[in-house]
Amino acid sequence: MASDARRADAPFDPQNRIVPGSDNFIPLDSAKCGSLLCQKDSYLGKLQTRVRSCTPSREKKEKGKVWEVCLLDTVLFPEGGGQPCDLGTIGTSRVLRVANIDGDAVHFVDAPLDVGCEVDVSVDWERRTDLMHQHSAQHLITALAIEMFGYETLSWDLKTDSTVSTTLDLGTEELKLDEIDLLEQRVNEAIRVGHAVSPRWIAKDSEEAEKIRCRGLPEGVVGPLRVLEIEGIDTNLCCGTHVKSTAHLSQVKLLHTERVRDRGKTHVRLHFVAGSRVLKLMDAAWKRQLQMSSLLTMAPENHAASVEALLASKKDQAKDIKALTGEIADFLVEDMKRRASDGEKVLDMHREK
């Protein structure tokens, strides 16, 4: 079957095409999760393929509104390995989510598609780029935290909101400030050097599979295992989409840590951002700083001292108000006693706001 996959960054071809028969052509043959086109080349943004099946959603609340579509192959990544799924379009249908169901990439779309028809598949490229930047940064931070301090990664959490941080839970009770600085320097040094990042596949029962770093395989994995290599730094099992060079991350910023209790143990949660999230964070912080400078009418370096003074003043005022309220209450009590002694029926109510 003829197919046409378009690489999102293909400078070698003015039409952004991968031509069948060329070195960049990847044949489509009802690919399974683990060897999807998006997992072979994360920089593919478009694909022309065929619809293999289309059925109503298995979710009762979605019947008549959402359909499950399987393609011969896809450039849309199904959720897995801690990475959220891609979004995009298949023909004129909008992709609401993509899931790995029994090894098939199932696309949940808002309109049915004819089985066997040829369709154009497109990725929401801004979302894809952001998610793979955070995921590749996580691999880099994880590998270097082990190399430098021996701290293993216990888990991580990637949100689709590009304005928030990604978190990484490390197997240590404390990550000192000097360790954070050293780790950040080492991570960004690896970005400047530009280490190649690439996937390859190994047999599940191979000797390498037994030795490779992994937090455990998901249930139902039967085919070859996908290995992600950061040249000279890390080798790890992973199903997600990644940059082709650490240089493509541009930058990583380690933000702060918090201590987390989980099942009776304490560990450190590290917050970080990578790629365009660094610029978004800086932009938001700069705008807040300008706003604070305007409100406080002072330079940024004096913000903290000014706010501390305002909070202290507010606390003193609250004490004064409480004392005055007490005096008023005492006065009202004495007044009520006097009125009651004169035979008046009295009732007064007081409530603190």
Side-chain angles (χ1 to χ4, degrees), residues 1-5 18-20 25-28 47-49 118:
M1 184 201 78
S3 63
D4 176 20
I18 297 178
V19 182
F25 176 67
I26 303 173
L28 306 177
L47 167 70
Q48 191 175 82
T49 185
E118 195 170 75

Side-chain angles (χ1 to χ4, degrees), residues 298-317:
M298 59 181 59
E301 57 267 25
N302 298 320
H303 287 178
S306 177
V307 172
E308 286 175 354
L310 287 172
L311 291 175
S313 176
K314 182 180 179 181
K315 188 175 181 180
D316 291 339
Q317 289 173 3

Side-chain angles (χ1 to χ4, degrees), residues 45 76 130 137 167 218 248 296 329 352:
L76 296 171
D130 174 62
T167 61
H248 295 179
L296 298 172
E352 288 190 14

Side-chain angles (χ1 to χ4, degrees), residues 1-10 12 14-20 24-26 28 36-50 71 73-77 86-91 95 107 118-126 128-129 132:
M1 184 201 78
S3 63
D4 176 20
R6 301 176 185 88
R7 190 182 306 274
D9 70 333
F12 58 86
Q15 295 184 350
N16 228 11
R17 289 176 176 273
I18 297 178
V19 182
N24 298 300
F25 176 67
I26 303 173
L28 306 177
L36 302 172
L37 199 54
C38 59
Q39 294 170 310
K40 294 176 179 176
D41 188 345
S42 299
Y43 285 45
L44 291 177
K46 294 183 179 181
L47 167 70
Q48 191 175 82
T49 185
R50 292 188 183 277
L71 307 171
D73 205 339
T74 186
V75 287
L76 296 171
F77 175 74
D86 284 331
L87 297 180
T89 57
I90 302 175
V95 178
H107 308 73
E118 195 170 75
V119 289
D120 290 316
V121 185
S122 296
V123 178
D124 178 339
W125 190 247
E126 184 176 353
R128 156 71 69 78
T129 304
M132 71 178 179

Side-chain angles (χ1 to χ4, degrees), residues 50-88:
R50 292 188 183 277
V51 177
R52 195 178 72 194
S53 65
C54 180
T55 58
S57 172
R58 66 195 71 197
E59 301 289 338
K60 289 184 179 180
K61 62 182 180 181
E62 294 181 338
K63 288 292 174 67
K65 300 177 182 178
V66 178
W67 287 261
E68 298 181 13
V69 171
C70 289
L71 307 171
L72 291 183
D73 205 339
T74 186
V75 287
L76 296 171
F77 175 74
E79 182 176 3
Q83 180 177 326
C85 68
D86 284 331
L87 297 180

Side-chain angles (χ1 to χ4, degrees), residues 108-334:
F108 291 79
V109 300
D110 65 355
L113 295 163
D114 293 332
V115 175
C117 73
E118 195 170 75
V119 289
D120 290 316
V121 185
S122 296
V123 178
D124 178 339
W125 190 247
E126 184 176 353
R127 176 185 170 106
R128 156 71 69 78
T129 304
D130 174 62
L131 293 179
M132 71 178 179
H133 280 174
Q134 310 317 308
H135 198 167
S136 295
Q138 176 266 311
H139 275 248
L140 187 57
I141 297 168
T142 289
L144 294 177
I146 293 172
E147 175 190 306
M148 297 172 68
F149 312 117
Y151 300 153
E152 295 277 352
T153 291
L154 306 176
S155 62
W156 75 300
D157 185 32
L158 170 57
K159 305 295 186 187
T160 56
D161 183 351
S162 62
T163 65
V164 303
S165 62
T166 302
T167 61
L168 191 67
D169 288 5
L170 297 172
T172 177
E173 292 190 3
E174 182 182 14
L175 188 63
K176 300 181 179 67
L177 289 177
D178 62 334
E179 290 178 326
I180 294 175
D181 289 342
L182 288 170
L183 181 57
E184 182 177 272
Q185 290 173 22
R186 181 71 180 84
V187 167
N188 283 286
E189 179 187 343
I191 290 172
R192 286 190 294 273
V193 169
H195 296 266
V197 182
S198 59
R200 59 184 176 85
W201 285 258
I202 61 174
K204 184 180 179 182
D205 58 356
S206 66
E207 185 177 341
E208 183 180 4
E210 296 178 2
K211 297 178 180 179
I212 205 165
R213 181 169 59 81
C214 176
R215 294 196 301 273
L217 291 174
E219 292 184 8
V221 175
V222 294
L225 303 180
R226 184 174 182 264
V227 176
L228 187 82
E229 287 188 305
I230 304 177
E231 187 179 29
I233 294 180
D234 188 41
T235 303
N236 189 22
L237 295 182
C238 184
C239 66
T241 56
H242 289 274
V243 297
K244 292 186 175 182
S245 168
T246 55
H248 295 179
L249 294 175
S250 298
Q251 62 240 314
V252 168
K253 178 62 183 174
L254 307 186
L255 300 172
H256 67 96
T257 62
E258 57 181 314
R259 288 162 67 88
V260 178
R261 288 286 289 179
D262 182 27
R263 287 170 283 189
K265 293 184 178 181
T266 301
H267 60 263
V268 164
R269 178 163 294 163
L270 173 64
H271 291 251
F272 72 91
V273 287
S276 61
R277 290 198 189 191
V278 177
L279 295 179
K280 288 183 179 180
L281 182 72
M282 182 177 178
D283 180 63
W286 181 254
K287 288 176 179 176
R288 283 194 298 268
Q289 179 174 290
L290 290 177
Q291 187 178 21
M292 289 295 294
S293 294
S294 176
L295 291 170
L296 298 172
T297 62
M298 59 181 59
E301 57 267 25
N302 298 320
H303 287 178
S306 177
V307 172
E308 286 175 354
L310 287 172
L311 291 175
S313 176
K314 182 180 179 181
K315 188 175 181 180
D316 291 339
Q317 289 173 3
K319 288 180 180 178
D320 292 341
I321 292 171
K322 188 173 183 179
L324 290 171
T325 302
E327 291 179 17
I328 293 171
D330 291 341
F331 173 79
L332 290 174
V333 168
E334 292 301 320

